[in-house]
Amino acid sequence: NAGVTQTPKFRVLKTGQSMTLLCAQDMNHEYMYWYRQDPGMGLRLIHYSVGEGTTAKGEVPDGYNVSRLKKQNFLLGLESAAPSQTSVYFCASSYEGTGRLLNNEQFFGPGTRLTVL
Amino acid sequence: AQSVTQLDSQVPVFEEAPVELRCNYSSSVSVYLFWYVQYPNQGLQLLLKYLSGSTLVKGINGFEAEFNKSQTSFHLRKPSVHISDTAEYFCAVSKYNFNKFYFGSGTKLNVKP
């Protein structure tokens, strides 16, 4: 199993350009997440999905859009990049389940380092 | 709302010394607790988790953590650190019956020879 993969690994954009980050998982997980990591701020949730065809906003959704057309893929889009979106982006996935027996460990991808000039 | 506080942004320690990384959380409901480790230029890897049962949880690489409900803490400890433990450590909380994580700001552990 490859686990969670992210493409690309690095990207430099100019202000106003658009791009899409791709996350793929081969563990048949229902839940997928996009985070951004900034120094001293830990990881902040951008958007997440609880199943194919569903998406929901996290803590910092402004300036981003997402889509989950296939269960294994979760795309993060930046329509008009801004320097404030310079960050490291992590995708994660986890099992479906509820209650105390839920194993809701999240499995993370290796990250995408994005710089917006 | 949940929040997670890691008071120490950096912890320097000598090799073979013990270390404790602190994590406090605030929540009005039952939670699950996690510690993740991030090595340089890598993603996050699960160290250990508390879901229920014994409050002392053992994880990988000799780490352990104790859940203290009255103090709302989940401190990470290791009795003797190695150079290879140099990394950033994140505490995370998720609410019972809901799969959404809240991360602390991280603690950089720097193990010196």
Side-chain angles (χ1 to χ4, degrees):
Chain A
N1 285 353
V4 180
T5 58
Q6 293 182 232
T7 53
K9 288 187 170 49
F10 304 93
R11 187 71 185 267
V12 178
L13 291 178
K14 294 181 180 178
T15 296
Q17 287 185 315
S18 63
M19 78 162 294
T20 300
L21 282 68
L22 171 63
C23 176
Q25 52 93 6
D26 61 1
M27 296 175 281
N28 202 34
H29 286 169
E30 285 293 334
Y31 294 180
M32 296 186 75
Y33 313 80
W34 275 107
Y35 293 92
R36 60 178 289 172
Q37 183 182 28
D38 303 292
M41 302 190 76
L43 277 76
R44 293 181 291 169
L45 184 64
I46 304 171
H47 286 280
Y48 63 102
S49 168
V50 299
E52 182 178 319
T54 74
T55 63
K57 293 181 180 180
E59 297 174 70
V60 289
D62 294 342
Y64 304 95
N65 57 74
V66 288
S67 64
R68 183 100 182 266
L69 298 179
K70 293 182 179 180
K71 185 177 182 178
Q72 63 269 32
N73 295 339
F74 194 31
L75 278 66
L76 178 71
L78 286 73
E79 289 187 350
S80 179
S84 61
Q85 294 178 303
T86 293
S87 187
V88 181
Y89 291 86
F90 286 99
C91 176
S93 69
S94 66
Y95 296 105
E96 178 188 14
T98 59
R100 286 192 176 277
L101 296 180
L102 168 62
N103 173 5
N104 50 4
E105 171 187 351
Q106 293 192 4
F107 295 81
F108 283 82
T112 295
R113 189 173 294 273
L114 175 66
T115 302
V116 183
L117 303 175
Chain B
Q2 282 71 44
S3 71
V4 183
T5 303
Q6 293 181 246
L7 287 172
D8 306 306
S9 60
Q10 299 199 42
V11 173
V13 63
F14 287 105
E15 194 173 18
E16 297 184 7
V19 71
E20 179 179 82
L21 306 184
R22 297 180 292 169
C23 173
N24 289 86
Y25 68 93
S26 64
S27 176
S28 58
V29 298
S30 297
V31 295
Y32 299 139
L33 297 154
F34 304 80
W35 275 99
Y36 280 84
V37 60
Q38 184 181 32
Y39 298 105
N41 299 314
Q42 293 188 26
L44 278 71
Q45 177 184 355
L46 182 69
L47 265 182
L48 49 80
K49 61 188 176 187
Y50 172 79
L51 302 182
S52 65
S54 172
T55 57
L56 183 63
V57 180
K58 294 190 183 298
I60 61 171
N61 300 339
F63 284 94
E64 63 181 32
E66 186 152 22
F67 170 54
N68 188 320
K69 189 174 182 179
S70 63
Q71 308 229 344
T72 61
S73 67
F74 191 54
H75 302 331
L76 181 70
R77 294 191 288 259
K78 186 170 183 178
S80 176
V81 294
H82 301 129
I83 296 286
S84 59
D85 292 324
T86 294
E88 190 160 17
Y89 293 79
F90 292 94
C91 182
V93 165
S94 73
K95 201 166 60 173
Y96 176 79
N97 210 34
F98 188 67
N99 209 336
K100 192 173 169 184
F101 275 35
Y102 298 87
F103 284 86
S105 54
T107 298
K108 290 184 178 176
L109 177 65
N110 184 15
V111 181
K112 304 175 182 180

